[in-house]
Amino acid sequence: MAARVLPASVYESSKSTKKTDAIKLRDKMLGKKSRGELSGGSADRVLITELLDDVLKSDIKPSTRYVWEKVIERNIRPFFGKLKAQRLTTDHMDKYREKRKGEGRSDATANRELSILRTAFHNARKRTPPKVLVVPYFPIVAETNIRKGFLSDEQYDSLRDELPAELKALFVTGYITGLRRGEITAIQWQQVDFEAGMITLDKGETKNDEPRSVPILDGDMRELLVAAKKERDAEWPHSPWVFSRRGERIVDFRWAWDEACKRAEVPDLNFHDLRRTAVRNMRRAGIPQVIRMKISGHKTDSMERRYNIVDADDLNMARELLQNRRKTVPDKAENVTVNVTTSGTATIPADTPAS
């Protein structure tokens, strides 16, 4: 006869010497077990490293999985992996934040990394049976480092010239269209239509999972893309990637970007600043907000509101318009003013037609 395998026992103290308290706790735990909230003791033994494995296998975009895997393997797993999931506390997460900030990372970075861990815990709680019974409190610090950088036309020229050849077309495309870095680096030649002057992003290739198209502008953008196509056809004709190094998709270009930014005297510029700059430039060009959002891929105007897309040039223009308005007020007023003499007789200025 085969041996019967019994589920592992789960022990919990009632913290009381009264039998009635122990019975109440037992009945409560039996209720949790019947609802699938207890997993035969596995929740007491599961390590955080298992939750991280599960979240990487979950239904997330390949681009998101790629980024999460790097963050998990470099930072989250080494710090939290060997800890039992039920032992995770807010103190552990505070220490992790202190460690990351000591390494020169910002609160925003720590927030993003802890949010991955939080997702892993929520996914584990939803499983049947659950791998964790309680999701701890995750301290997310208010972010005070919202970037406000823009790239001027002069800085654009300087940085374009300083970047290595393989990054020029990528940079110009980001500057003009405001596409996200991951969206740009994923573009393949089949998506580029030079005749129509469009680059089409298919569903599943954008952050919002919605298809959209962006224009190919004459000048730097078209010239650099055409040159990249000619080089690809001649050197590595089977490569599908528009932005590549010797036919291989460009993924990480941080070092080359940072060095070029230093030489161009914009050392604090992030690639994401191009997105904000593109939206500002489209607004200045008179492109309606709904079309700006279609091109950049924003579902709401939150980015324009969050980053307060107004800079010194905008304020100078506003000042000139207001000053011009004030200069015109006296002239209009003179044309409609009726003077009243001390004797009560009304007179009309000579340049005002009498009715």
Side-chain angles (χ1 to χ4, degrees):
M1 175 185 287
R4 182 184 177 190
V5 179
L6 296 175
S9 299
V10 178
Y11 297 93
E12 184 174 337
S13 173
S14 65
K15 298 180 175 60
S16 172
T17 58
K18 296 180 180 179
K19 183 178 180 179
T20 54
D21 291 337
I23 292 174
K24 288 180 181 179
L25 178 60
R26 179 202 64 185
D27 293 343
K28 181 180 179 180
M29 295 178 69
L30 288 173
K32 286 185 176 181
K33 183 177 180 180
S34 67
R35 295 191 298 271
E37 297 174 6
L38 288 182
S39 53
S42 64
D44 295 339
R45 299 192 300 270
V46 66
L47 300 179
I48 289 179
T49 192
E50 183 177 340
L51 307 190
L52 297 174
D53 289 338
D54 289 342
V55 80
L56 289 175
K57 297 174 186 174
S58 63
D59 185 20
I60 54 179
K61 291 182 183 179
S63 58
T64 301
R65 184 177 293 107
Y66 175 83
V67 174
W68 283 19
E69 186 172 16
K70 286 189 173 296
V71 173
I72 286 172
E73 299 307 329
R74 291 177 181 175
N75 302 299
I76 301 177
R77 198 188 301 274
F79 191 91
F80 295 105
K82 295 182 180 180
L83 183 67
K84 288 184 178 180
Q86 72 166 11
R87 298 282 181 90
L88 180 65
T89 66
T90 302
D91 285 342
H92 287 124
M93 290 179 273
D94 286 340
K95 290 178 181 178
Y96 178 79
R97 182 181 296 276
E98 291 174 7
K99 175 180 179 294
R100 295 297 283 144
K101 292 182 73 173
E103 296 168 346
R105 303 304 178 187
S106 65
D107 278 323
T109 297
N111 284 349
R112 304 295 179 272
E113 294 171 353
L114 288 174
S115 69
I116 296 174
L117 184 60
R118 179 174 59 187
T119 299
F121 267 78
H122 279 293
N123 286 359
R125 186 178 61 82
K126 294 175 183 177
R127 296 175 71 96
T128 304
K131 289 191 176 182
V132 298
L133 306 180
V134 177
V135 176
Y137 167 71
F138 281 77
I140 303 300
V141 175
E143 297 177 16
T144 58
N145 59 335
I146 295 176
R147 294 187 58 81
K148 299 179 180 179
F150 295 101
L151 195 67
S152 69
D153 291 340
E154 294 76 14
Q155 291 169 331
Y156 159 82
D157 292 335
S158 178
L159 182 53
R160 178 201 57 208
D161 295 341
E162 292 293 344
L163 284 166
E166 68 215 27
L167 294 182
K168 290 183 187 294
L170 189 153
F171 160 66
V172 171
T173 300
Y175 176 81
I176 290 174
T177 66
L179 292 178
R180 299 174 177 89
R181 182 175 64 178
E183 294 172 340
I184 296 177
T185 58
I187 296 173
Q188 300 186 25
W189 284 115
Q190 63 185 3
Q191 299 168 250
V192 180
D193 187 337
F194 286 112
E195 185 176 349
M198 290 289 177
I199 297 176
T200 302
L201 305 182
D202 298 327
K203 183 177 181 180
E205 297 174 343
T206 65
K207 181 178 179 180
N208 295 328
D209 223 20
E210 294 181 353
R212 70 181 194 274
S213 297
V214 298
I216 298 175
L217 269 61
D218 292 337
D220 284 350
M221 186 176 179
R222 178 178 288 275
E223 291 171 5
L224 288 168
L225 287 173
V226 168
K229 181 67 162 57
K230 289 180 179 178
E231 183 180 20
R232 175 261 193 182
D233 292 346
E235 301 293 336
W236 34 84
H238 299 296
S239 173
W241 307 110
V242 173
F243 307 104
S244 72
R245 291 190 182 100
R246 299 185 176 276
E248 296 296 325
R249 176 184 174 184
I250 292 177
V251 177
D252 186 5
F253 53 90
R254 185 180 303 174
W255 184 86
W257 174 267
D258 289 345
E259 292 301 308
C261 287
K262 291 176 185 177
R263 293 192 298 271
E265 299 183 354
V266 285
D268 297 326
L269 187 76
N270 285 347
F271 191 86
H272 197 76
D273 291 333
L274 302 182
R275 183 164 168 77
R276 188 177 311 108
T277 300
V279 174
R280 181 202 62 179
N281 291 345
M282 284 187 270
R283 180 174 58 80
R284 284 183 173 180
I287 298 174
Q289 186 180 60
V290 64
I291 299 178
R292 298 199 300 265
M293 291 166 58
K294 283 285 187 181
I295 294 174
S296 64
H298 289 99
K299 285 190 173 181
T300 69
D301 64 351
S302 60
M303 194 270 273
E304 296 193 26
R305 288 186 286 104
R306 182 186 182 204
Y307 292 112
N308 189 22
I309 299 187
V310 176
D311 61 13
D313 290 340
D314 293 314
L315 296 176
N316 288 335
M317 180 178 65
R319 181 174 63 248
E320 290 177 6
L321 290 173
L322 288 171
Q323 287 175 343
N324 290 338
R325 174 186 172 277
R326 289 179 61 84
K327 289 178 182 178
T328 62
V329 169
D331 295 334
K332 292 181 179 179
E334 183 179 352
N335 289 336
V336 298
T337 299
V338 176
N339 297 324
V340 180
T341 66
T342 54
S343 61
T345 304
T347 63
I348 300 174
D351 59 348
T352 302
S355 57

